[in-house]
Amino acid sequence: MGNNPLASILQYIKNHTWLRISLPIIIIILWFIVAGIGGPTFGKLSSVSSNDQSSFLPASAQSTKVQALQSKFQDSTSIPAIIVIESEQKISPQDFQLYKPLIESVSGVKGVKQTTANQPVTVIGPIPSSDNLSVEFIVPIAETKNVSKVVADLRSTVNDTTPKGQTAYVAGPAGLSADLVKAFGGIDGILLLVALGVVFFILLLVYRSVALPFIVLLNAMFALCASILVVYFMAKENWIQLNGQSQGILSILVIGAATDYSLLLVARYREALAHIESKWIAIWRAMKVSFEPIAASAATVVLALLCLLFSDLNSNRSLGPVAATGIALSFLSTITFLPALLVVLGRGSFWPVRPRFMPEQHIENTKNNSDIGKLWRGVGKLISSKPRLTWMVSLVVLLVAGLGILQLRASGVPQTALILSKSQAVDGQAVIAKHFNAAIGTPMVVIADQNKVNLVVSKLQSFEGVSQVTVYTGGSERPGAAPGLPKIVDGKVLINVTLSATESDSAQAESVVTLSRAQLPAIDSSVLVGGATATSLDTNETARNDLYKIIPIVLVVILVILILLLRAIVAPLLLIVSVLISYVAAIGVSALVFNYIFGFAGADASVPLFGFIFLVALGVDYNIFLMTRVREESQIIGTRRGVIRGLGKTGSVITSAGVVLAATFAALGIIPILFLAQIAFIVAFGVLLDTIIVRSLLVPSVAYDLGKIIWWPSKLSRTDKK
């Protein structure tokens, strides 16, 4: 422990009474100030957050280029809302006059694009369905920054002006965007309350103390307040792109990580108080022995998250610094604010079961392991008597569970499947698919050379899956209107291609985009294909490429940290392999649950990558807690005895930490967004799997079986005590 970075600082503080008294109070006051500033900032995050899928893509993507060029053709970057009205009786052309009040009212809603000289009609419709049981209107929303408010007003207006006996829905991209924002709304309050409530209950069971749960949660909340303050500033300065997913994961990650780090420090503090009378020396000892594993764990997660900066998806890349900031401040809070609170309260922190000062009893307990709980003594006995059988059975269980990964469907899902709660946009889309071409409001967009436009249009019309091809004229673009002259911008024209697919982001629609990108360049080498379907396709392809690129980088980074921490090569390789197996098992079971229990339509293409980042980084955390203690004990009593004692001394605290982290991530499931629900299950299940099987059975039994060779090539592998 001589090389511990805190040793000299702590020794200096220990030798100066005035510092021992004033420093904890100063630290506590400073953290209260930070929390007082950061807390109110929580409600401001939504003002610097965006959930627009197209903004997630890199500038090099065709979809991004097309979106940038579209703004040159159109006066505004409006997005369409589709009003669909369904009737039990057939609607005749004579009935269209019934919709005049609706059109007039909708046109006057604040935020709906207003008429201009070039575009005297902005609300398109009524467009009748082929079965005459439904009509639809396309309404351009100009205020894209406040879509939720505009759509809410639109729905209220439509509800008041829809003819009797008919049912209306506001759907389309604008309606779906509004419902997504509403679904994410719980992130600001409900998610946090549920997570804190679950963690508090678990801490009460773990500590059987009144004060400690409040102390630990206060530490987590102060870390979160500081994180929110920093993240808000980064987003406001446009250093990062914040979205609802990152925002929700930040809260959960900080609460879980800060609580985990706190559990380890508190456990070492309680242990120190048993043989050290001074509360200051006890906290000094606890910090000295726990700083290295907590720092290594935090560094592992921070660097793994920062590997997301290599992602080509802006949403993934932004999560890296957002979540890494939360982990870094969780670490900082745990090594400053938490020790300050603990040393001020002393043994009173553990009231009503205060640890007693019994140095002689502590020495006796250490000799015969009587200070280890009955459960972990039993696990240790199993491992020491049958190590090879233990790890072989554990490995088989994990590999069998991992077979389910073959059924993982992570190629993206329709946007209507993203929302798990009641959604008028989703219901409306089902009505549109029933009576119309559901992709009419979200056409594929092609940017072509003005001299090649006729050839491009002719080629597009020949593709199976294309319903209609319209060259943009800058006019009303009403169905059935006489075609005008194409609008030309910088020698380019814009072509809207209506697809016949039932959903704009279906596999059938995406196949048309793929075909267009493959064949149109032969006619026009500068052609670009974009739109909603292309955006979905580009997002999924980019996410898959990120998976293959980032996983090796993360593994190398974690391996280097483990080698530096454990001063060995064999043990770090063992830990890397173990968390990889755990990850595959967790994804395998999750795939089966998603397909056959929850009945999800599939999974976002980013789910495997996010699951990997969290499970591998956090899974290594628990192995770090275990193996640093095993190494500490091995230097005194030998590797095999050190494995058993290290497992016993960390068993309860790591299991508690795993349960806390699993519970906090499970809380993400209350947000009715498919991506968050899937990440919640994968991480919660994976952490429990890692805690119960990998860290408790697989790793210690393999380490026991190998013996001192796990420390190769360090000196400990040659001088291990018997």
Side-chain angles (χ1 to χ4, degrees):
M1 292 295 173
N3 295 326
N4 192 305
L6 281 183
S8 57
I9 298 175
L10 292 173
Q11 187 64 46
Y12 180 83
I13 297 172
K14 174 186 173 185
N15 295 333
H16 293 79
T17 304
W18 68 273
L19 269 178
R20 294 203 305 270
I21 296 173
S22 61
L23 187 60
I25 296 174
I26 293 172
I27 290 173
I28 291 172
I29 292 173
L30 287 175
W31 273 102
F32 266 96
I33 292 173
V34 170
I37 299 172
T41 309
F42 197 96
K44 299 179 182 179
L45 284 181
S46 57
S47 66
V48 292
S49 178
S50 170
N51 294 302
D52 180 11
Q53 187 185 27
S54 61
S55 65
F56 296 171
L57 288 167
S60 59
Q62 279 200 48
S63 301
T64 309
K65 294 177 180 178
V66 169
Q67 187 181 43
L69 290 172
Q70 273 185 279
S71 62
K72 295 183 178 181
F73 283 90
Q74 299 167 339
D75 296 332
S76 69
T77 56
S78 61
I79 60 174
I82 298 178
I83 301 172
V84 58
I85 298 177
E86 188 176 35
S87 174
E88 295 181 0
Q89 310 248 340
K90 287 194 174 184
I91 304 171
S92 67
Q94 291 76 21
D95 295 328
F96 288 176
Q97 61 180 349
L98 297 174
Y99 301 114
K100 286 184 178 179
L102 183 146
I103 295 173
E104 292 173 359
S105 299
V106 165
S107 299
V109 170
K110 185 178 180 181
V112 171
K113 185 179 177 182
Q114 300 302 303
T115 59
T116 63
N118 293 330
Q119 198 165 4
V121 179
T122 55
V123 177
I124 301 173
I127 305 169
S129 62
S130 58
D131 60 9
N132 293 319
L133 290 175
S134 181
V135 294
E136 67 178 9
F137 303 82
I138 300 176
V139 184
I141 305 298
E143 289 191 15
T144 56
K145 295 290 185 182
N146 197 19
V147 174
S148 297
K149 176 66 167 59
V150 178
V151 169
D153 292 343
L154 200 59
R155 283 173 174 165
S156 177
T157 299
V158 169
N159 185 61
D160 292 339
T161 54
T162 298
K164 291 183 179 180
Q166 299 180 4
T167 306
Y169 306 86
V170 176
L176 186 63
S177 176
D179 288 351
L180 278 170
V181 170
K182 182 180 179 181
F184 274 118
I187 284 179
D188 287 338
I190 299 174
L191 175 62
L192 191 59
L193 289 174
V194 170
L196 290 174
V198 170
V199 172
F200 182 76
F201 178 74
I202 294 172
L203 291 176
L204 279 177
L205 296 179
V206 170
Y207 287 130
R208 296 184 295 277
S209 162
V210 175
L212 268 177
F214 287 103
I215 293 172
V216 170
L217 282 183
L218 192 63
N219 177 59
M221 283 302 299
F222 278 18
L224 181 58
C225 289
S227 303
I228 288 168
L229 189 61
V230 174
V231 168
Y232 175 78
F233 176 80
M234 291 193 296
K236 189 175 181 181
E237 295 299 316
N238 293 318
W239 295 352
I240 60 170
Q241 187 179 73
L242 186 66
N243 57 61
Q245 293 176 4
S246 300
Q247 190 177 333
I249 289 172
L250 172 66
S251 300
I252 291 301
L253 201 57
V254 170
I255 294 172
T259 303
D260 279 5
Y261 301 155
S262 300
L263 284 166
L264 184 63
L265 178 62
V266 169
R268 296 309 295 255
Y269 183 45
R270 186 201 293 267
E271 193 176 327
L273 288 172
H275 61 96
I276 299 174
E277 188 170 14
S278 166
K279 64 181 182 180
W280 173 256
I281 298 176
I283 197 67
W284 175 73
R285 171 65 182 169
M287 289 184 66
K288 190 176 179 181
V289 295
S290 61
F291 176 81
E292 191 174 56
I294 293 176
S297 299
T300 300
V301 181
V302 165
L303 291 177
L305 288 165
L306 289 179
C307 287
L308 287 172
L309 290 172
F310 292 100
S311 171
D312 288 325
L313 273 181
N314 293 331
S315 55
N316 290 355
R317 192 162 59 246
S318 67
L319 176 64
V322 169
T325 297
I327 294 295
L329 287 167
S330 297
F331 166 71
L332 182 62
S333 176
T334 303
I335 64 166
T336 57
F337 177 65
L338 180 62
L341 272 181
L342 291 174
V343 78
V344 167
L345 297 174
R347 284 179 167 79
S349 305
F350 300 88
W351 184 87
V353 187
R354 303 185 184 192
R356 290 183 292 173
F357 173 57
M358 299 183 297
E360 297 82 5
Q361 185 64 41
H362 174 76
I363 295 172
E364 184 63 27
N365 290 342
T366 302
K367 288 180 179 179
N368 57 23
N369 283 343
S370 59
D371 56 342
I372 295 175
K374 184 177 179 180
L375 171 63
W376 295 106
R377 284 204 306 271
V379 174
K381 185 176 180 180
L382 170 66
I383 291 172
S384 60
S385 61
K386 298 178 180 178
R388 192 159 300 175
L389 178 63
T390 302
W391 70 256
M392 288 180 70
V393 171
S394 301
L395 182 61
V396 169
V397 170
L398 292 170
L399 292 177
V400 170
L403 293 176
I405 200 171
L406 299 174
Q407 297 197 43
L408 180 66
R409 296 177 292 163
S411 56
V413 295
Q415 285 198 320
T416 50
L418 295 177
I419 303 174
L420 301 179
S421 59
K422 184 70 174 175
S423 163
Q424 188 180 134
V426 172
D427 294 341
Q429 199 66 27
V431 174
I432 293 172
K434 179 180 175 183
H435 299 285
F436 295 90
N437 172 5
I440 191 171
T442 51
M444 184 175 78
V445 179
V446 177
I447 305 292
D449 187 281
Q450 65 174 4
N451 298 319
K452 305 290 181 65
V453 61
N454 291 332
L455 292 174
V456 171
V457 168
S458 178
K459 189 65 175 178
L460 286 167
Q461 289 173 334
S462 71
F463 290 157
E464 184 179 354
V466 171
S467 174
Q468 185 179 18
V469 181
T470 307
V471 179
Y472 183 71
T473 64
S476 64
E477 309 291 34
R478 290 172 59 85
L485 293 175
K487 183 173 183 177
I488 301 173
V489 177
D490 299 331
K492 301 290 183 182
V493 295
L494 184 150
I495 305 168
N496 287 318
V497 183
T498 302
L499 306 178
S500 57
T502 55
E503 296 285 351
S504 63
D505 46 10
S506 65
Q508 181 185 354
E510 290 181 353
S511 68
V512 179
V513 173
T514 303
L515 185 65
S516 300
R517 287 177 172 176
Q519 296 192 14
L520 291 181
I523 300 172
D524 178 3
S525 59
S526 65
V527 73
L528 293 172
V529 179
T533 304
T535 297
S536 175
L537 179 64
D538 288 346
T539 301
N540 292 334
E541 289 183 350
T542 306
R544 282 193 290 270
N545 292 335
D546 283 348
L547 183 67
Y548 303 134
K549 178 172 60 178
I550 293 175
I551 282 181
I553 298 173
V554 172
L555 290 177
V556 170
V557 167
I558 293 177
L559 181 61
V560 170
I561 293 175
L562 290 174
I563 290 173
L564 294 175
L565 175 67
L566 299 176
R567 290 86 159 170
I569 294 177
V570 175
L573 287 173
L574 165 64
L575 300 185
I576 287 289
V577 171
S578 71
V579 293
L580 275 175
I581 293 171
S582 177
Y583 166 72
V584 172
I587 293 293
V589 172
S590 298
L592 297 176
V593 171
F594 295 162
N595 294 345
Y596 301 110
I597 296 180
F598 294 153
F600 291 149
D604 188 278
S606 294
V607 164
L609 177 61
F610 278 59
F612 176 84
I613 292 292
F614 292 126
L615 283 182
V616 171
L618 297 172
V620 167
D621 265 11
Y622 300 133
N623 284 325
I624 286 175
F625 292 167
L626 169 66
M627 294 306 290
T628 50
R629 185 59 183 259
V630 168
R631 189 177 187 277
E632 179 185 332
E633 299 291 345
S634 297
Q635 292 173 319
I636 303 171
I637 59 178
T639 296
R640 286 196 165 95
R641 290 178 60 198
V643 167
I644 302 305
R645 180 157 180 81
L647 174 64
K649 291 301 294 181
T650 61
S652 60
V653 64
I654 295 178
T655 300
S656 300
V659 171
V660 166
L661 191 63
T664 52
F665 264 93
L668 271 176
I670 70 168
I671 304 299
I673 299 294
L674 179 64
F675 174 84
L676 293 180
Q678 291 178 327
I679 288 296
F681 183 86
I682 289 172
V683 178
F685 178 79
V687 165
L688 291 177
L689 190 70
D690 197 76
T691 304
I692 296 170
I693 297 181
V694 177
R695 189 270 314 167
S696 300
L697 297 172
L698 180 63
V699 170
S701 58
V702 173
Y704 191 95
D705 198 12
L706 293 175
K708 65 181 182 180
I709 193 64
I710 65 170
W711 307 119
W712 184 86
S714 70
K715 183 180 178 181
L716 188 56
S717 67
R718 301 186 297 276
T719 60
D720 188 31
K721 300 178 183 293
K722 300 296 181 183

